[in-house]
């Protein structure tokens, strides 16, 4: 247990320190890199909790895809640091309010969990008497509830994401007239017969195209 | 055996295993770089490296010595910390992903339940080494190379993910050891032929293209030709690696090769049965000691990995480089829909086909 405690405090400290560095770093690219470090150590905390599936998903989705695109955009931005600093005081009260609200929620949740215990699978309506997840890996347990009791919510979340994606495409799609596009099929179907024309020009004359 | 189960003994044992795998892996990388160059040379009717050692076998070690004694140059405008961190991240991730690889029966450093997701996660993080290196160089060509690389790797990860899902659907597990064990008993049980002998043979129509897609996406994921756009020397000089020299460059190169071997090994495990022999071995190995069985398994995994690597090297030598829009078209318009349909087909087969015996 001592080993786990050491690992927990180490990763929690790294998470907090990098989260602090995200907002305090001068260079926005450094901020994103610290954000990645925070994600990664949060994934480590998930592993400590025994939720290895969630940890891997966190790394795949947030670190592997979302943060790459983040970094992609931030690197191409030309950020004026002086202007950024100016806004700091202006947005301080609002930011503080949101952070305070989140902190209070977190405290309420963690005190509830500490006193009453976390909501277990057998508190859900799909529970069949005893703990149905006994002897299951947590991937299987998540799958069991996600695709049975919560399937509508799961599908609805998927629909929301799909609509958001289509919305983004519709907003940014432009059809420029007169763009020459490569049509692979035409190129593949090209044969010597269709792609070549035999002409025999007389000396001193050109060929009319 | 009680000592090895105490925390200290366990730590020593694990560190020993990690060291062993790392050393063997680094030696493999050295000789596979040599093999890659020899294959490349053979295709072009050259001799390839043939000076250092017998048949040039020690060429990679001579290169290592050269890289180590060169001066480390950090460009003036570079972000020094990120510049030096990038190759370290690359090589750490490339070596770290080997922790979950089942090398032989019972030979795996960490037999985790989400092994394949772990490998997927680590290989998707590999892009950070390149993108950080390209940005920190504070130069135009490296930056363009880094952007290309980020877009390319994110695109092809999607199709790799779907191909992995088809394999997971066949095996019913995310554990790489379980995936390998399910393919026991001969090559007709390998996932590339549908995973369960004659019963699943119709699925071969789906799984063979999936194997091809995985192989090609693996090329793109490791920035190998014909997808080496991030370092296309005719357009970007050397892409993200221009400003690097000496040891950091060597680390990038090492990470790239280790990743190629990883992708080859993953192809072998997911589709070609991992450490399973291509014929039934139950009768043959019944009275063998455990170590011999493990070595026998290791032999097959190494053979399959080298076979995939050989194909990789041949593709590099034979196929011309893609243009960037063709690369994106292939990833998003061909591989993504194909693998998505394949996921639906395999899932449908698993639900509606009679249960496997």
């Amino acid at each position: 247990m001592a080993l786990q405690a050491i690992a927990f405090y180490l990763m929690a400290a790294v998470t907090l320190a990098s989260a602090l560095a995200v907002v305090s770093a001068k260079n926005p690219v450094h901020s994103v890199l610290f954000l990645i470090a925070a994600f990664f150590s949060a994934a480590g905390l998930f592993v400590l909790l025994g939720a290895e599936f969630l940890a891997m998903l966190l790394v795949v989705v947030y670190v592997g895809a979302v943060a790459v695109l983040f970094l992609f955009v931030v690197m191409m931005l030309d950020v004026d640091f002086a202007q950024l600093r100016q806004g700091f005081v202006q947005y301080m009260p609002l930011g503080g309010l949101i952070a305070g609200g989140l902190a209070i929620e977190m405290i309420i949740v963690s005190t509830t969990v500490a006193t009453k215990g976390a909501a277990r699978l057998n508190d859900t309506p799909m529970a069949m008497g005893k703990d149905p997840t006994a002897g299951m890996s947590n991937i299987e347990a998540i799958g069991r509830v996600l695709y049975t009791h919560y399937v509508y919510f799961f599908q609805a979340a998927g629909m929301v994401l799909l609509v958001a994606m289509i919305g983004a495409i519709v907003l940014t799609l432009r059809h420029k007239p007169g763009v020459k596009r490569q049509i692979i099929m035409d190129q593949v179907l090209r044969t010597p017969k269709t792609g070549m024309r035999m002409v025999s020009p007389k000396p001193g004359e050109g060929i009319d195209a | 055996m009680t000592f090895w189960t105490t925390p200290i003994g366990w730590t020593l044992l694990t560190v020993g295993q990690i060291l062993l795998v790392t050393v063997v892996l680094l030696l493999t990388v050295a000789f596979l770089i040599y093999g890659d160059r020899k294959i490349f040379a053979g295709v072009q009717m050259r001799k390839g490296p043939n000076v250092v050692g017998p048949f040039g076998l020690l060429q990679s070690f001579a290169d290592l010595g050269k890289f180590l004694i060169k001066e480390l140059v950090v460009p003036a405008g570079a972000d020094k910390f990120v510049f030096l961190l990038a190759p370290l991240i690359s090589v750490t991730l490339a070596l770290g992903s080997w922790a979950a690889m089942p090398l032989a029966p019972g030979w795996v450093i960490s037999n985790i339940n989400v092994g394949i997701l772990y490998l997927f996660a680590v290989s998707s993080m590999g892009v950070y080494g390149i993108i950080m290196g390209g940005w920190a160089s504070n130069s135009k060509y490296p930056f363009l190379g880094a952007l290309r690389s980020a877009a390319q790797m994110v695109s092809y990860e999607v199709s790799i993910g779907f191909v992995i899902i088809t394999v997971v659907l066949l095996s019913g597990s995310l554990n790489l050891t379980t995936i390998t064990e399910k393919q026991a008993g001969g090559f007709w049980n390998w996932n590339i032929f549908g995973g369960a002998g004659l019963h699943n043979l119709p699925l071969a129509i789906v799984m063979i293209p999936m194997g091809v897609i995985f192989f090609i996406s693996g090329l793109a994921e490791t920035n190998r030709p014909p997808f080496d756009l991030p370092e296309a020397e005719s357009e970007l000089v050397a892409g993200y690696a221009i400003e690097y020299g000496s040891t950091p460059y060597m680390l990038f190169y090492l990470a790239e090769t280790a990743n190629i071997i990883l992708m080859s090994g993953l192809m072998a495990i997911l589709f070609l049965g991992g450490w399973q022999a291509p014929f039934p071995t139950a009768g043959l190995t019944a009275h063998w000691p455990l170590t011999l069985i493990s070595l026998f398994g290791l032999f097959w995994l190494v053979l399959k990995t080298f076979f995939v690597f050989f194909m990789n090297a041949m593709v590099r030598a034979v196929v011309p480089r893609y243009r960037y829009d063709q690369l994106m078209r292939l990833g998003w318009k061909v591989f993504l829909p194909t693998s998505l349909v394949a996921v639906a087909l395999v899932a449908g087969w698993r639900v509606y086909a009679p249960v496997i015996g």
Side-chain angles (χ1 to χ4, degrees):
Chain A
M1 288 314 274
L3 208 63
Q4 281 187 2
I6 293 171
F8 171 77
Y9 285 115
L10 196 70
M11 279 189 270
V14 171
T15 313
L16 286 180
S18 14
L20 195 65
V22 172
V23 284
S24 62
K26 279 187 181 142
N27 191 329
V29 173
H30 290 177
S31 282
V32 178
L33 293 177
F34 278 120
L35 184 67
I36 294 160
F39 281 150
F40 198 68
S41 39
L45 290 175
F46 269 128
V47 171
L48 276 186
L49 282 175
E52 73 269 10
F53 181 65
L54 284 182
M56 291 307 149
L57 278 197
L58 184 73
V59 176
V60 170
V61 175
Y62 284 94
V63 181
V66 174
V68 172
L69 298 180
F70 234 71
L71 204 58
F72 205 95
V73 173
V74 168
M75 277 179 180
M76 287 198 280
L77 289 178
D78 195 17
V79 183
D80 186 2
F81 297 120
Q83 210 182 359
L84 269 183
R85 296 283 126 188
Q86 268 179 7
F88 188 73
V89 182
Q90 189 188 339
Y91 292 118
M92 183 81 174
L94 188 63
L97 203 66
I98 294 172
L102 280 176
I104 290 170
E105 279 178 18
M106 289 297 284
I107 290 168
I108 292 173
V109 168
S110 35
T111 46
T112 315
V113 169
T115 51
K116 295 187 178 172
R120 277 184 310 275
L121 220 49
N122 51 10
D123 295 337
T124 59
M126 61 87 67
M128 297 153 285
K130 287 177 188 169
D131 187 2
T133 58
M136 264 184 216
S137 67
N138 61 41
I139 309 165
E140 222 176 322
I142 287 175
R144 289 271 160 118
V145 284
L146 204 57
Y147 288 97
T148 54
H149 183 58
Y150 296 111
V151 67
Y152 295 118
F153 302 102
F154 184 62
Q155 296 286 343
M159 285 309 244
V160 170
L161 286 177
L162 183 69
V163 169
M165 192 175 80
I166 292 174
I169 292 171
V170 168
L171 282 178
T172 52
L173 188 68
R174 284 181 300 162
H175 284 291
K176 269 192 250 170
V179 177
K180 284 189 178 172
R181 287 185 193 282
Q182 185 183 22
I183 304 164
I184 306 279
M185 212 53 203
D186 284 6
Q187 293 180 348
V188 173
L189 292 178
R190 215 170 109 110
T191 57
K193 242 177 208 160
T194 58
M196 213 160 53
R197 188 163 57 102
M198 298 301 287
V199 287
S200 40
K202 285 182 186 130
E205 285 179 16
I207 46 167
D208 50 334
Chain B
M1 290 305 278
T2 46
F3 173 70
W4 297 116
T5 50
T6 59
I8 300 169
W10 179 84
T11 311
L12 282 178
L13 196 66
T14 312
V15 169
Q17 288 170 343
I18 292 170
L19 278 179
L20 187 70
V21 170
T22 311
V23 168
V24 173
L25 180 68
L26 291 180
L27 282 175
T28 316
V29 165
F31 285 110
L32 279 186
I33 288 175
Y34 163 80
D36 191 26
R37 293 173 69 175
K38 272 288 189 192
I39 294 167
F40 201 34
V43 173
Q44 300 178 337
M45 294 200 194
R46 291 186 286 114
K47 279 191 172 165
N50 63 350
V51 176
V52 190
F55 309 107
L57 270 172
L58 302 178
Q59 180 66 44
S60 295
F61 299 96
D63 287 343
L64 171 75
K66 191 190 98 176
F67 278 128
L68 287 182
I69 55 173
K70 274 176 96 167
E71 186 192 349
L72 177 63
V73 181
V74 180
D79 188 324
K80 194 171 176 185
F81 181 71
V82 179
F83 186 81
L84 294 178
L85 186 67
L88 288 181
I89 285 187
S90 273
V91 86
T92 311
L93 292 173
L95 296 181
S97 41
W98 283 86
M101 288 286 271
L103 301 170
W107 287 14
V108 51
I109 295 177
S110 174
N111 186 15
I112 46 179
N113 266 333
V114 287
I116 191 151
L117 264 182
Y118 169 78
L119 282 183
F120 189 57
V122 171
S123 78
S124 69
M125 285 181 66
V127 66
Y128 283 113
I130 291 173
I131 197 170
M132 282 164 72
W135 175 78
S137 298
N138 194 23
S139 164
K140 290 196 177 57
Y141 283 134
F143 186 56
L144 286 173
L147 289 184
R148 279 184 172 193
S149 168
Q152 174 180 334
M153 288 171 88
V154 169
S155 307
Y156 278 85
E157 239 153 50
V158 183
S159 55
I160 285 193
F162 280 125
V163 173
I164 286 177
I165 288 175
T166 60
V167 173
V168 169
L169 282 172
L170 281 183
S171 311
S173 173
L174 292 170
N175 186 324
L176 285 166
T177 310
T178 316
I179 290 177
T180 312
E181 276 165 359
K182 291 245 170 160
Q183 304 179 58
F187 69 86
W188 49 88
N189 283 344
W190 292 354
N191 278 336
I192 197 158
F193 298 118
L198 272 180
H199 178 271
N200 268 3
L201 201 60
L203 267 191
I205 303 168
V206 179
M207 291 315 285
I208 291 175
M210 285 302 103
V212 173
I213 288 182
F214 187 83
F215 177 73
I216 297 174
S217 303
L219 291 177
E221 187 77 5
T222 48
N223 295 327
R224 277 284 274 188
F227 304 110
D228 59 340
L229 276 302
E231 46 192 294
E233 58 278 317
S234 55
E235 305 152 29
L236 295 180
V237 194
Y240 64 90
I242 296 176
E243 305 291 349
Y244 283 92
S246 166
T247 314
Y249 179 76
M250 187 196 69
L251 292 181
F252 266 134
Y253 197 56
L254 174 72
E256 202 186 309
T257 316
N259 270 330
I260 291 163
I261 303 173
L262 181 82
M263 274 294 165
S264 308
L266 207 53
M267 172 101 192
I269 288 173
L270 293 182
F271 287 99
L272 305 177
W275 37 255
Q276 307 284 2
F279 46 84
T281 51
L284 181 68
T285 58
H287 302 294
W288 288 9
L290 273 179
T291 320
L292 195 61
I293 294 179
S294 291
L295 282 174
F296 187 64
L298 186 66
F299 166 75
W300 287 109
L301 181 69
V302 167
L303 195 72
K304 289 166 186 173
T305 308
F306 283 3
F307 170 70
V308 180
F309 185 85
F310 175 75
M311 302 225 296
N312 212 317
M314 285 301 284
V315 168
R316 172 176 170 230
V318 172
V319 184
R321 183 177 294 132
Y322 262 50
R323 214 171 54 208
Y324 201 73
D325 62 315
Q326 292 171 332
L327 172 93
M328 283 297 160
R329 178 185 162 272
L330 186 71
W332 288 105
K333 291 191 179 172
V334 181
F335 284 179
L336 180 60
T338 314
S339 49
L340 196 56
V341 170
V343 169
L345 286 177
V346 174
W349 179 273
R350 289 286 284 160
V351 173
Y352 293 112
V355 182
I356 307 160

